[in-house]
Amino acid sequence: MESCSTMLVLLCVSLLLTVCHSQSSRELSAEDFPNKKTPSSAEKDLVETMEELLGKFQSRLPSYEKKGGTIPLCDVGDRCAVKLGPRIGKLCNCARGSSCNSFLLKCI
């Protein structure tokens, strides 16, 4: 009974592989879609207007950059933080593969 179920599974898998292998994947190009329309002048005007509006409102969006600029990188063993009462302030970012130890305040 077990051999019949195993054979059935193998048959289904081989059938699936045959069907998948027979379908070739090819890159789509503009030639595959001859009826596709080119953008009209109204669409181009709409895009230009939206870009203009985005440019106007870009200055109003909040900036995610720190006010002091970018934080420099620390080497392993360098001091990366300072304890200010109950808070810890960053002096620099540790290099890749290391992290800032909050007890020692050094990159390890």
Side-chain angles (χ1 to χ4, degrees), residues 46-102:
L46 181 63
V47 168
E48 289 173 1
T49 306
M50 295 205 46
E51 287 175 348
E52 182 180 326
L53 285 173
L54 182 61
K56 286 181 182 178
F57 290 112
Q58 189 71 29
S59 61
R60 294 184 187 176
L61 294 175
S63 176
Y64 293 106
E65 296 177 1
K66 291 208 169 211
K67 292 181 181 177
T70 59
I71 298 176
L73 287 177
C74 301
D75 291 328
V76 176
D78 288 347
R79 189 170 178 179
C80 58
V82 62
K83 189 159 184 168
L84 305 168
R87 300 178 185 204
I88 295 177
K90 269 190 161 183
L91 295 176
C92 55
N93 284 332
C94 296
R96 180 176 256 179
S98 64
S99 64
C100 189
N101 185 318
S102 60

Side-chain angles (χ1 to χ4, degrees), residues 1-15:
M1 185 69 178
E2 188 176 320
S3 63
C4 289
S5 62
T6 306
M7 290 295 286
L8 183 61
V9 169
L10 287 174
L11 180 63
C12 290
V13 170
S14 64
L15 180 63

Side-chain angles (χ1 to χ4, degrees), residues 37-50:
K37 299 178 186 175
T38 59
S40 65
S41 63
E43 290 174 346
K44 289 179 184 178
D45 291 340
L46 181 63
V47 168
E48 289 173 1
T49 306
M50 295 205 46

